[in-house]
Amino acid sequence: MYSSATMPLALVSPRPAALTLVQAAAVLLLAASLGACGSSGSKNVAQRGSYKVGAPYKIDGVTYTPQEEFNHVETGVASWYGPGFHGKSTANGEPYDQSARTAAHRTLQMPAIVRVTNLDNGMSTVVRINDRGPFARSRIIDLSRTAAQELDIVRNGTGHVRIEQLQAESLAVKDVAIAGGGPAEQQAAVAQVSSGRYAPAQAPVQTAAYAPPPPAPAAAYTQPAYSQPAPTQPVWPTNPRSPAADPAPAYIPASSGGPTVASLANGSTLQPASGFYVQTGAFATPENAERQRGAVSSYGASEISQGSAGGRDVFRVRLGPYTTSDAAGIVADRLKRSGYGDARVVVN
């Protein structure tokens, strides 16, 4: 998901005018939380927020340069990530929660708020950027499972979308994050902006900096026909038209397992099914291959394929098969962001 070696992040200095009031609010919030913990005896500590932009980083030979923006608009392909990443650290240090409305973007600051609209069915949702990615093909955003459900792209795995950054909401969560407010406080600020009750720390409510962005020109985007109009104001939670069912993603591998070290040692011959695979590594011994297979098993069905290279036996760890190269590419992309830089799509 996130590699500190390839995606270094820099903490952005807070704006002086905003810092005093925001810090005061943070002290009050911290005092209240400490008091609650002392009375209840609970050891749970609320997730603290941070505001990050980050230094340029390189993935697969492509350099990405993060920057602070407040009016970002982009059209392309969205994908989603779920169970294999749940609980793991995102690029801004939060634990990934597949049930939250969050997303990964390659260059936007964290946090930032964007509206994502599925251009095929008109469904939309509002998400908070807290991670880096995706880095495969033409994809521009990687959604949490819940956000993908609300756009009805879980089954297909991808969807054609338009993302529009919400300026006032992005400025609001920046202030909250700089003050140390975590995901819950950031979401509360988004809800207050939507209702017109949020007062920014550094300026009066009606300043130009916090004015909602003007609507996009009609020529720039034609809304597709659908039975119910998308919401015009961000709501948290949003999109009551989300599918009630939770269909399995199309990219789940058809196989349920693979050969073990014992079966390979006994001379069994693997006949892999045809299709697309994600190879994570090749090893000289089956024991080393089995260790990596165990490490990547949470990303999908895995197997060890025996072959030869340079006159020597090699044992390849693969996930799959997948029915399309795009489906395999999604998994390879996620593995690379989790530190498996050798992950690549192969065809059997």
Side-chain angles (χ1 to χ4, degrees), residues 31 74 147 171 205 307 331 341:
E74 194 174 0
L171 286 164
V205 177
V331 179

Side-chain angles (χ1 to χ4, degrees), residues 296-337:
V296 301
S297 60
S298 63
Y299 296 93
S302 59
E303 63 185 30
I304 299 175
S305 173
Q306 186 174 0
S308 61
R312 298 182 179 181
D313 288 338
V314 293
F315 301 88
R316 303 182 180 95
V317 179
R318 294 180 174 182
L319 299 173
Y322 303 89
T323 56
T324 67
S325 61
D326 277 349
I330 293 174
V331 179
D333 180 54
R334 295 170 187 171
L335 283 161
K336 287 178 181 178
R337 283 186 284 149

Side-chain angles (χ1 to χ4, degrees), residues 123-141:
M123 303 174 84
S124 71
T125 189
V126 173
V127 298
R128 184 173 58 91
I129 303 297
N130 71 342
D131 203 1
R132 286 285 176 246
F135 306 108
R137 300 180 183 272
S138 62
R139 299 185 189 110
I140 61 172
I141 194 168

Side-chain angles (χ1 to χ4, degrees), residues 1-302:
M1 179 180 296
Y2 162 66
S3 170
S4 59
T6 58
M7 291 182 280
L9 292 172
L11 184 64
V12 173
S13 299
R15 289 162 291 184
L19 184 58
T20 302
L21 291 177
V22 174
Q23 284 183 331
V27 170
L28 292 175
L29 178 63
L30 181 59
S33 63
L34 288 175
C37 290
S39 61
S40 63
S42 172
K43 296 182 180 180
N44 293 330
V45 179
Q47 172 71 40
R48 285 185 59 80
S50 62
Y51 185 76
K52 295 179 179 179
V53 178
Y57 61 94
K58 181 178 291 186
I59 298 289
D60 290 339
V62 179
T63 299
Y64 300 94
T65 304
Q67 58 184 327
E68 183 181 71
E69 296 185 69
F70 294 98
N71 293 285
H72 185 83
V73 178
E74 194 174 0
T75 300
V77 177
S79 52
W80 68 276
Y81 59 134
F85 286 85
H86 188 71
K88 297 182 179 180
S89 180
T90 64
N92 75 342
E94 297 176 13
Y96 171 64
D97 182 357
Q98 64 176 344
S99 66
R101 292 172 181 82
T102 59
H105 191 272
R106 293 169 294 189
T107 59
L108 281 174
Q109 71 269 22
M110 299 174 288
I113 305 298
V114 301
R115 178 186 290 115
V116 186
T117 302
N118 186 334
L119 297 180
D120 296 323
N121 59 22
M123 303 174 84
S124 71
T125 189
V126 173
V127 298
R128 184 173 58 91
I129 303 297
N130 71 342
D131 203 1
R132 286 285 176 246
F135 306 108
R137 300 180 183 272
S138 62
R139 299 185 189 110
I140 61 172
I141 194 168
D142 217 357
L143 303 166
S144 68
R145 184 183 184 89
T146 289
Q149 287 172 335
E150 293 184 342
L151 298 181
D152 196 17
I153 66 171
V154 170
R155 182 175 296 277
N156 292 334
T158 60
H160 187 223
V161 302
R162 176 184 178 90
I163 65 175
E164 301 167 278
Q165 187 175 13
L166 304 181
Q167 182 188 59
E169 289 81 353
S170 293
L171 286 164
V173 294
K174 174 180 179 177
D175 283 340
V176 173
I178 288 176
E185 290 82 7
Q186 294 168 27
Q187 293 173 12
V190 171
Q192 289 178 344
V193 171
S194 300
S195 64
R197 293 183 291 109
Y198 180 77
Q202 81 281 14
V205 177
Q206 298 301 324
T207 59
Y210 274 81
Y221 167 59
T222 302
Q223 181 79 359
Y226 54 98
S227 58
Q228 182 176 342
T232 57
Q233 293 294 330
V235 179
W236 211 303
T238 187
N239 199 0
R241 300 173 56 230
S242 303
D246 183 14
Y251 56 80
I252 288 181
S255 63
S256 59
T260 63
V261 169
S263 66
L264 289 171
N266 291 333
S268 64
T269 302
L270 172 65
Q271 298 294 336
S274 60
F276 297 91
Y277 289 81
V278 177
Q279 181 169 309
T280 62
F283 301 88
T285 66
E287 291 78 14
N288 287 340
E290 183 64 37
R291 275 193 286 271
Q292 187 176 87
R293 181 190 174 199
V296 301
S297 60
S298 63
Y299 296 93
S302 59

